[in-house]
Amino acid sequence: MTTKNLPTSVDVVVVGAGFAGLYMLHRLRALGMTVQVFEAGSDVGGTWFWNRYPGARCDVESMEYSYSFSDELQQEWAWTERYATQPEILRYVNHVADRFDLRRSVQFKTRVRSAVFDEDQDQWTITTDGNASVTAHFCIMATGCLSAAKVPEIAGLSNFKGDWYHTGLWPQEGVDFSGKVVAVIGTGSSGIQLIPEVAKQASQLYVFQRTPTFSLPAGNRPLQPQAVLETKKNYAELRQQARGSPAGVASYPVPTRSALDATPEEREAAYEVRWQAGGTAYTRTYNDVMLSQASNETAADFARRKIASRVHDPVLADALSPKDVLIGTKRLCLDDGYFETFNQNHVKLVDLREAPIQDITAEGVRTSLTEYKVDALIFATGFDAMTGALLNIDIRTSSGKTLAKSWAAGPRTYLGLMTAGFPNLFTITGPGSPSVISNVMVSIEQHVEWITDCLRFMREARHTHIEADLTAQDAWVAHVNELANATLYPLGNSWYVGANIPGKPRVFMPYVGGVGRYRQKCTEIAANGYEGFRFSAADGAQRSADT
Ligand code: NAP
């Protein structure tokens, strides 16, 4: 669609055509609503459109990291590996877009710049980077939690004569590093997946590490036809299990025992079983790994010894080994040969704790000790997570309230779905919901379905205006914080608390109570007449949910 064909007014504007935006569009169409979707990328896929770096792969198993809303879709689609690669996931998203005829409502290559709510007209005006405007009764942000790529503010980048890349904004045509001297800055999930792949091409690879990372073997493998058949036969039940589970993953174990109640030998055996199984369920070996520092240390110690066994040089192994860090408080990484990559002669670790980066020169990266001359520079430095993509849009009301001011001390939402003071604006997997601490596909489907039901309810009750109540929001924020503070999560210097963005308020953003408990809460709130939300009609009449 070109800007010329853009409608001037629709029922709903959806921002983003990733998994959340596409499913939202599908459900809104079924409600008979007119919808305009805006997407910055040139095609569908969201995070899987942008993160095309070599080695990119999901860390939730493919049979679970997929839509469940259409049984025909889940029965017909054939995943090939335990963890799907980025190209396979992108093929899947494209298949979904075609299968449900979604593209015709999406304007691609269009970034939303502002969303302004007219309090007299009860409508949003959404304006794009091309200065096109559309009015809509509702605006739904499906902007993703990890979509605002962060290139660190290191002096001198503009002087660099070589090519530089960010993993989250990878060129569509790919990059050939054959024979090149390459620097990678960052050793989180993206860096850990990318580094072994770039090492296969580069003549020399420098890995700039600020904080060593816990990474577990993914244990990826081709899916066996019999296992796929079995899963497909039981899909309805498995999906139901996932929806009610803590992490939104049916195959995760639900531990019942403390690590401290096990003998050292039992712990060693139990961690070994999880380690060999692969995947992020490792921290679920015992029920208090994320609750008790002493239990956490048993899991961390085992993981450190595994790192030591994977790296030949003990000094290097020590430098790659996280110390004074609780395992799992930063998002756990899964790798395929990450630590072993450092056993190769042409791969060199640059430990930034010994000598921090000073600046980027015309020819490379300069630390306080020396200059590393490189042909190409890769930032695997992550994202302004959860709030970045929302705050990059100027979201305001006609009376001058701005989301930026409302969230100045950290995001405040009711259920992660709405923010008080911003009527008719929904966020899918917003801060204060399980989102990134869950199988996000399960969380996306739950939010989309809740919003759809809410809009249907409003239509039937003739409400045109919905707003989160400030008191309900304050209580929800307090609940989210209370749950988080009972765990070890807030102690990590992670993007969950915004620690990777200088100046970002330190607030633990996701809801850690589990997707099952969260879903139950959302369902109860809806069943109780949308407790904590205020409604009114076009004629200005205030209505509570049951009138
Ligand atoms: P990340 O986890 O935030 O890691 C960023 C890395 O860059 C960290 O090692 C960080 O060091 C380093 N860094 C940042 N600024 C730096 C600076 N100025 N100088 C030196 N180092 C710097 O980002 P990510 O790896 O892109 O992953 C983000 C999230 O995306 C993941 O946690 C995961 O949820 C998701 N993801 C998932 C997958 C998957 O499904 N397998 C793959 C990729 C990403 P510090 O630790 O010291 O801050």
Side-chain angles (χ1 to χ4, degrees):
M1 184 190 279
T2 64
T3 306
K4 271 196 303 213
N5 300 329
L6 208 60
T8 53
S9 181
V10 287
D11 295 324
V12 189
V13 159
V14 175
V15 185
F19 277 115
L22 291 178
Y23 184 38
M24 193 72 248
L25 166 63
H26 180 60
R27 295 303 294 251
L28 291 169
R29 274 200 195 149
L31 271 190
M33 290 184 144
T34 53
V35 190
Q36 178 62 52
V37 182
F38 291 111
E39 166 56 53
S42 61
D43 210 338
V44 296
T47 198
W48 299 106
F49 174 87
W50 296 105
N51 285 268
R52 295 167 187 254
Y53 60 86
R57 192 185 277 281
C58 189
D59 60 6
V60 177
E61 297 194 25
S62 50
M63 298 291 288
E64 299 217 48
Y65 189 89
S66 46
Y67 287 121
S68 72
F69 69 85
S70 160
D71 193 46
E72 292 77 16
L73 170 65
Q74 68 184 8
Q75 293 298 336
E76 284 170 28
W77 183 262
W79 294 107
T80 61
E81 293 180 75
R82 181 181 181 190
Y83 299 100
T85 59
Q86 176 273 336
E88 187 167 30
I89 299 174
L90 199 57
R91 278 199 297 281
Y92 173 73
V93 192
N94 275 277
H95 168 79
V96 171
D98 293 337
R99 186 176 183 123
F100 298 98
D101 186 24
L102 300 174
R103 273 178 229 278
R104 66 184 160 85
S105 299
V106 186
Q107 172 146 313
F108 294 104
K109 299 187 189 167
T110 305
R111 197 170 277 284
V112 167
R113 286 285 172 227
S114 69
V116 181
F117 186 68
D118 183 326
E119 285 160 330
D120 296 327
Q121 301 293 317
D122 235 6
Q123 73 180 10
W124 285 93
T125 299
I126 284 86
T127 304
T128 71
D129 52 0
N131 270 333
S133 285
V134 177
T135 60
H137 203 68
F138 298 98
C139 179
I140 302 180
M141 294 296 177
T143 42
C145 295
L146 294 158
S147 45
K150 179 70 186 165
V151 177
E153 279 132 35
I154 302 174
L157 179 56
S158 59
N159 301 331
F160 183 58
K161 292 210 181 98
D163 295 320
W164 66 267
Y165 310 91
H166 187 286
T167 48
L169 298 167
W170 203 258
Q172 283 194 51
E173 62 281 11
V175 187
D176 183 3
F177 294 106
S178 297
K180 298 223 160 114
V181 181
V182 182
V184 176
I185 299 180
T187 54
S189 301
S190 305
I192 272 175
Q193 290 184 331
L194 164 117
I195 285 161
E197 294 305 312
V198 175
K200 288 178 190 162
Q201 294 185 340
S203 61
Q204 173 80 46
L205 176 61
Y206 295 110
V207 176
F208 290 78
Q209 171 191 272
R210 192 164 65 180
T211 313
T213 312
F214 282 113
S215 181
L216 318 174
N220 187 44
R221 55 176 180 260
L223 284 172
Q224 295 306 312
Q226 194 49 41
V228 170
L229 274 180
E230 205 50 39
T231 300
K232 289 190 172 179
K233 203 170 82 193
N234 299 316
Y235 241 150
E237 198 186 313
L238 288 169
R239 298 295 204 182
Q240 206 48 36
Q241 238 172 288
R243 291 180 196 118
S245 69
V249 179
S251 55
Y252 274 0
V254 183
T256 51
R257 193 177 183 205
S258 160
L260 305 179
D261 288 342
T263 64
E265 295 73 28
E266 284 172 335
R267 274 200 302 266
E268 198 72 6
Y271 286 136
E272 185 65 37
V273 167
R274 281 275 130 232
W275 194 271
Q276 294 305 333
T280 52
Y282 177 71
T283 50
R284 291 168 195 276
T285 310
Y286 294 103
N287 63 10
D288 56 353
V289 172
M290 297 312 298
L291 300 176
S292 143
Q293 296 211 21
S295 294
N296 188 282
E297 180 49 31
T298 65
D301 172 62
F302 182 92
R304 278 189 212 108
R305 282 185 280 121
K306 284 291 185 188
I307 294 172
S309 73
R310 294 170 70 183
V311 182
H312 300 157
D313 173 356
V315 176
L316 186 55
D318 189 60
L320 285 163
S321 193
K323 290 164 210 83
D324 308 320
V325 179
L326 296 160
I327 190 167
T329 55
K330 277 187 171 180
R331 165 89 171 207
L332 269 180
C333 303
L334 296 187
D335 73 88
D336 189 4
Y338 170 68
F339 292 109
E340 290 80 356
T341 303
F342 291 91
N343 294 329
Q344 299 173 50
N345 288 333
H346 72 299
V347 179
K348 179 167 169 39
L349 181 75
V350 181
D351 191 341
L352 298 177
R353 291 166 308 173
E354 284 175 1
I357 295 178
Q358 250 175 16
D359 60 354
I360 298 189
T361 65
E363 291 185 289
V365 183
R366 184 158 49 201
T367 69
S368 57
L369 279 181
T370 188
E371 183 182 2
Y372 296 87
K373 294 192 174 170
V374 299
D375 302 314
L377 178 51
I378 302 172
F379 291 100
T381 45
F383 303 88
D384 184 353
M386 305 197 75
T387 55
L390 289 165
L391 293 176
N392 283 344
I393 301 172
D394 179 12
I395 299 175
R396 59 178 66 236
T397 67
S398 50
S399 66
K401 269 178 273 175
T402 68
L403 192 69
K405 269 195 214 141
S406 297
W407 285 10
R412 298 186 74 79
T413 71
Y414 184 39
L415 301 171
L417 280 160
M418 293 197 96
T419 293
F422 297 87
N424 295 5
L425 175 77
F426 294 95
T427 44
I428 301 178
T429 64
S433 74
S435 60
V436 291
I437 218 121
S438 69
N439 174 357
V440 78
M441 291 298 288
V442 174
S443 290
I444 284 172
E445 286 196 328
Q446 186 256 334
H447 264 192
V448 167
E449 286 160 17
W450 193 95
I451 294 168
T452 307
D453 290 347
C454 179
L455 296 183
R456 186 188 299 109
F457 161 81
M458 286 180 71
R459 186 164 64 189
E460 285 166 5
R462 292 180 296 120
H463 300 312
T464 56
H465 179 111
I466 175 170
E467 192 171 348
D469 185 72
L470 190 57
T471 316
Q473 176 170 290
D474 288 346
W476 182 254
V477 171
H479 174 62
V480 170
N481 288 334
E482 189 188 342
L483 291 181
N485 290 335
T487 72
L488 302 176
Y489 281 108
L491 302 180
N493 284 325
S494 66
W495 55 259
Y496 294 142
V497 295
N500 61 328
I501 304 294
K504 192 165 173 171
R506 191 178 175 110
V507 172
F508 188 81
M509 295 182 281
Y511 172 85
V512 290
V515 298
R517 183 170 168 191
Y518 173 81
R519 172 185 295 270
Q520 198 183 344
K521 188 78 190 153
C522 290
T523 307
E524 277 166 20
I525 283 170
N528 291 337
Y530 291 91
E531 250 174 342
F533 292 96
R534 284 186 282 121
F535 295 92
S536 60
D539 57 10
Q542 296 285 320
R543 290 197 177 97
S544 66
D546 50 3
T547 55

